[in-house]
Amino acid sequence: MQQALRALDQIVAHVPSQDRNIVYKDVQLAIQSVNGSLVPKWESELVLKGTVPTMHMGQQYHTPVQFTLTGYPRHAPIVAVKPTEFMRPYTKARGYQMQPDGHVRTDYLVNWISGSNLSGLIADLRRRFDQEPPLYATAQPTRRRPPVQVDPQTQRKFTTYLENDILSKSHSSYPRTAIQRIIEDVSEAIQMYPTLIPKEHWVGSTCLVKLMGTVPTRYESAVYNIPVVIYVPQKYPSPQGGLPEVVVNPTADMSIKQNHRNVDSRGLVYCQYLSTWDESKYMKELVAKVVEIFEGEPPVYAVSRRQQPQPQYQYQPQQQMQRPPAQAKPTPPKLEEKLRGNVKVSKADDDAKACIVCYENLKDCVLMPCKHMCVCAACLKDLVSMDDKRACPMCREPIEDVILNIYS
């Protein structure tokens, strides 16, 4: 929310002086009414972009909208619903009008008079959207993957390494059908980030490929080289058991930042790009997204001497994570058992880290298998008890398991 309010302080200077005070006050109240999910921008006129939270049948949704404040407050704002790639508008009749281009008309807008304001309009929209949502989610379409353009010398060098040092191992279990894809993706990533070096990684008797090295990130006008490891699983690039894993690998004079929004205490990186991974995605784009995250919030900081050994992430191929034999290890607890009794929650000190349901507690639960970290343990417990489908609030994928209190 503070970021949106700071943006408003800079943008309001473009508003005509006779309307500046009332516009500033109304937009400020509107941003606060949605907990900062609307952000002001200046695009030759004042525009509010973002989402408004709505509640329908016990589930909370975030409807993407845009408010264009042309001639405000004398003229009503122009309201448009902005569906994402995986949303479609409802075509059934409703208590408001929505045109094919997403523009919305309500009685509040039609009867706009002196005294009408942006906060009242948002409250009216939320009430109507609660009753009849304007959008519904669709399945993610399969994108056609364009051909990869890689420097022939880089690709030839990695192909030789892959064939001689990895595939020649008697226990390497990469399927032959995936070899060319791995060659293309890893070669392309190495070409873009030459500080990453392919190496073999043994897990038991299985030989896999990993990329080790650093990725350059810019933070506060300085460039830092963040050490990382990227594991290429056996089922790569399938979204079912084939997601690459990115892990921050701090040196002896580095420590992983606690309570990082995208990196857990072991260094494992979570991001939206991985949560929506499919076979059309690129490894180079994954690395670019990770660099973007690190530039917004560095995952490590320098220390003179590491006081305690940090927990290290141990990569395990997903196909080897089978149910243990009887009497070998206890069966992992079910979702209901993990959430039984009083669950631990912490207050969020930043709106960006707040649970998207209650907006108060720290979001510290990783939902599996989608890997979204968007809710606190208390809200997840209510969600599981009320929703038979147990769907993730962000992507609606069924929740099979959860990692609780990721920052603890």
Side-chain angles (χ1 to χ4, degrees):
M1 183 188 300
Q2 297 302 321
Q3 183 178 359
L5 294 177
R6 284 195 296 268
L8 176 61
D9 292 338
Q10 299 174 356
I11 291 172
V12 75
H14 297 283
V15 178
S17 57
Q18 65 271 21
D19 299 326
R20 189 170 300 162
N21 289 337
I22 189 170
V23 168
Y24 180 85
K25 181 180 178 181
D26 282 7
V27 174
Q28 184 183 46
L29 291 174
I31 293 172
Q32 293 172 346
S33 71
V34 293
N35 292 298
S37 62
L38 289 173
V39 178
K41 296 181 180 295
W42 185 261
E43 300 175 354
S44 73
E45 52 196 350
L46 183 57
V47 176
L48 276 177
K49 292 184 177 182
T51 62
V52 293
T54 59
M55 184 73 68
H56 181 67
M57 298 182 66
Q59 293 293 319
Q60 187 166 29
Y61 301 91
H62 296 266
T63 304
V65 294
Q66 175 177 309
F67 298 87
T68 305
L69 278 63
T70 304
Y72 185 89
R74 291 179 297 279
H75 301 285
I78 301 172
V79 183
V81 173
K82 296 291 184 179
T84 65
E85 181 182 2
F86 309 124
M87 295 179 179
R88 296 290 183 273
Y90 276 113
T91 57
K92 66 179 182 179
R94 52 180 61 83
Y96 54 92
Q97 298 178 8
M98 189 167 73
Q99 300 174 3
D101 60 0
H103 282 82
V104 176
R105 289 177 61 84
T106 66
D107 292 340
Y108 195 94
L109 287 168
V110 173
N111 300 318
W112 188 269
I113 58 173
S114 176
S116 300
N117 55 59
L118 195 56
S119 299
L121 171 60
I122 292 175
D124 179 68
L125 286 175
R126 293 179 68 176
R127 178 178 58 82
R128 295 179 184 276
F129 291 170
D130 285 348
Q131 298 171 356
E132 295 179 300
L135 305 170
Y136 65 93
T138 61
Q140 297 184 5
T142 301
R143 295 189 298 156
R144 184 178 296 275
R145 178 184 166 91
V148 174
Q149 300 295 329
V150 183
D151 173 59
Q153 184 177 358
T154 303
Q155 182 167 332
R156 186 164 53 250
K157 182 178 179 180
F158 174 67
T159 302
T160 302
Y161 167 79
L162 187 67
E163 292 176 347
N164 295 340
D165 291 14
I166 301 295
L167 301 181
S168 60
K169 308 294 183 184
S170 59
H171 296 289
S172 177
S173 57
Y174 284 113
R176 287 287 171 180
T177 54
I179 297 303
Q180 184 58 36
R181 172 64 187 270
I182 294 174
I183 290 174
E184 289 181 354
D185 281 16
V186 173
S187 300
E188 192 178 30
I190 293 173
Q191 180 178 331
M192 180 171 289
Y193 298 94
T195 51
L196 293 174
I197 301 173
K199 293 181 178 292
E200 62 183 49
H201 179 73
W202 287 90
V203 180
S205 60
T206 304
C207 186
L208 301 175
V209 175
K210 67 179 178 182
L211 295 178
M212 286 191 68
T214 60
V215 289
T217 60
R218 182 175 294 276
Y219 183 72
E220 293 185 350
S221 302
V223 177
Y224 300 90
N225 294 309
I226 308 298
V228 296
V229 182
I230 304 174
Y231 297 97
V232 183
Q234 291 171 315
K235 294 184 179 181
Y236 184 88
S238 169
Q240 304 298 325
L243 275 69
E245 296 188 7
V246 184
V247 181
V248 177
N249 186 32
T251 61
D253 57 352
M254 294 181 181
S255 185
I256 295 177
K257 182 179 180 181
Q258 297 300 310
N259 297 333
H260 193 284
R261 68 182 68 183
N262 294 97
V263 182
D264 69 13
S265 59
R266 303 167 299 167
L268 185 62
V269 177
Y270 301 89
C271 65
Q272 180 71 17
Y273 195 82
L274 278 174
S275 299
T276 58
W277 181 271
D278 57 41
E279 295 186 7
S280 67
K281 298 294 181 67
Y282 295 83
M283 186 171 291
K284 70 167 186 179
E285 290 182 351
L286 169 61
V287 180
K289 294 294 184 184
V290 170
V291 170
E292 183 179 333
I293 290 171
F294 292 171
E295 290 181 339
E297 183 181 5
V300 295
Y301 61 93
V303 293
S304 57
R305 184 178 60 183
R306 191 175 295 174
Q307 300 296 330
Q308 297 178 353
Q310 291 185 316
Q312 294 184 349
Y313 179 75
Q314 299 295 329
Y315 175 77
Q316 291 291 332
Q318 193 165 358
Q319 59 268 30
Q320 292 188 359
M321 297 181 185
Q322 301 174 353
R323 185 181 297 275
Q327 299 180 351
K329 290 183 180 180
T331 303
K334 294 182 179 180
L335 187 59
E336 296 87 345
E337 296 177 5
K338 287 187 176 182
L339 298 172
R340 184 173 297 167
N342 295 326
V343 293
K344 179 182 177 182
V345 295
S346 303
K347 294 297 182 182
D349 56 0
D350 185 351
D351 291 336
K353 298 180 181 179
C355 167
I356 67 171
V357 176
C358 67
Y359 291 101
E360 293 182 0
N361 298 327
L362 182 69
K363 51 184 178 183
D364 62 351
C365 299
V366 179
L367 310 182
M368 304 299 287
C370 68
K371 294 186 178 180
H372 280 135
M373 186 167 62
C374 55
V375 296
C376 66
C379 291
L380 177 60
K381 183 177 181 179
D382 294 339
L383 178 67
V384 170
S385 63
M386 292 188 302
D387 185 7
D388 293 336
K389 296 181 179 179
R390 299 179 179 176
C392 169
M394 290 187 67
C395 66
R396 311 304 299 162
E397 185 173 346
I399 302 171
E400 298 177 4
D401 197 3
V402 60
I403 302 175
L404 290 173
N405 308 124
I406 196 70
Y407 295 129
S408 298

